[in-house]
Amino acid sequence: MREPFVAGNWKMNTDGPSSMDLAERIALESVGIANQSVTVAVCPPFVYLQAVVKVLKSSSIAVGAQNSYFEPKGAFTGEISISMLKDIGCTYCLCGHSERRHVIGETDGLINQKVIAAINGGLLPILCVGELLAEREASKTEEVVTRHVKKGLAGLSAEKVSAVTIAYEPVWAIGTGLTATPQQAQEVHDFIRKLLGQMYDEKLAEEIRIQYGGSVKPDNAEELMSKKDVDGLLVGGASLKADDFIAIIRAAI
Ligand code: 13P
């Protein structure tokens, strides 16, 4: 069965002391869930990654980056390679988060290169997909999600895709307090799983984990996780409070 996977995306929040404090609190609290079958990761801003890796070293919590570049090295001012992230102890890498798609302007093609580079470089990508409010209102959710999944995974074999986690994050639910209902999340997760079955095979579709993200809080986490195809949660705002993040992890177990 698919082990629940909860990840915290700190986005461009925290400073040095608050990153340390948050990581230390999460490490301390995570002792209580150490023997449970759940995967947990946090994704701090680049500049605090190394320090957070150090704090979480003896815990069961993994660290991920929020972004990366696909080229291995060279004249790419301001970019961070997969091997650099691996070097400092990262396990995961977010790819195609909606803020990178819609604020920074990342394309499906670029995101695909990042997913491929992450897998080939030994990091586990979390490919984020999801529709805008106008797209949902125009009944285009399935069309958008299909494009994000197909283009994001283009050129990858089933074996390579088994390293990927998909995060369904409807853009209208991110940071808005508007959560998709558990039923809405289930419908899209079920759709994505069937799509993966068509693109690859049933075995892969059954094994791949699909997280939900968008205003996940301690009081809605359990209901979202009760849905058959919701395998985990990608948490923004609530992952900045250790108590809330731990409560969400407990709700996911
Ligand atoms: P919020 O939980 O703040 O809505 O953010 C979700 C998200 O974008 C996680 O990647």
Side-chain angles (χ1 to χ4, degrees), residues 9 11 97 169 173-175 214-216 234-237:
N9 175 8
K11 307 193 179 185
H97 188 277
E169 297 207 302
I174 296 178
S215 298
V216 174
L234 181 53
V235 188

Side-chain angles (χ1 to χ4, degrees), residues 28-243:
L28 205 67
E29 291 287 332
S30 73
V31 172
I33 48 154
N35 296 322
Q36 306 275 356
S37 33
V38 60
T39 311
V40 182
V42 293
C43 303
F46 278 134
V47 291
Y48 307 124
L49 278 172
Q50 220 167 346
V52 170
V53 164
K54 205 168 161 195
V55 172
L56 295 177
K57 207 172 178 139
S58 50
S59 80
S60 57
I61 298 178
V63 177
Q66 298 173 18
N67 183 33
S68 65
Y69 198 55
F70 65 90
E71 292 285 3
K73 63 187 286 191
F76 305 102
T77 302
E79 296 298 330
I80 304 286
S81 73
I82 298 293
S83 62
M84 291 172 184
L85 296 171
K86 189 118 177 85
D87 187 34
I88 60 158
C90 286
T91 307
Y92 294 93
C93 184
L94 301 183
C95 295
H97 188 277
S98 75
E99 286 140 24
R100 298 212 59 86
R101 291 179 189 269
H102 300 294
V103 183
I104 314 291
E106 287 194 8
T107 61
D108 283 308
L110 177 61
I111 294 161
N112 176 239
Q113 285 175 294
K114 292 183 178 193
V115 173
I116 293 171
I119 296 172
N120 290 341
L123 282 193
L124 303 172
I126 300 175
L127 173 63
C128 305
V129 305
E131 80 287 1
L132 298 163
L133 180 60
E135 291 166 336
R136 175 162 281 262
E137 286 174 349
S139 304
K140 289 193 169 154
T141 298
E142 293 185 356
E143 182 186 318
V144 172
V145 165
T146 300
R147 186 175 73 237
H148 287 170
V149 171
K150 283 197 167 170
K151 294 199 167 175
L153 301 178
L156 287 164
S157 64
E159 193 196 337
K160 297 228 161 164
V161 171
S162 65
V164 177
T165 298
I166 307 275
Y168 169 57
E169 297 207 302
V171 183
W172 48 272
I174 296 178
T176 57
L178 268 182
T179 320
T181 63
Q183 189 50 36
Q184 283 173 321
Q186 168 58 27
E187 277 166 20
V188 181
H189 285 226
D190 174 60
F191 175 79
I192 293 171
R193 202 175 303 287
K194 291 196 171 117
L195 177 65
L196 292 166
Q198 290 158 20
M199 289 166 63
Y200 301 97
D201 55 64
E202 288 307 316
K203 184 172 174 291
L204 178 90
E206 277 308 310
E207 284 173 4
I208 211 160
R209 291 187 287 189
I210 308 175
Q211 296 174 316
Y212 167 79
S215 298
V216 174
K217 305 280 180 253
D219 62 4
N220 59 25
E222 193 168 343
E223 211 188 339
L224 285 159
M225 285 299 297
S226 72
K227 293 295 174 189
K228 178 175 155 290
D229 291 290
V230 178
D231 309 316
L233 302 163
L234 181 53
V235 188
S239 73
L240 297 169
K241 293 184 196 133
D243 289 350

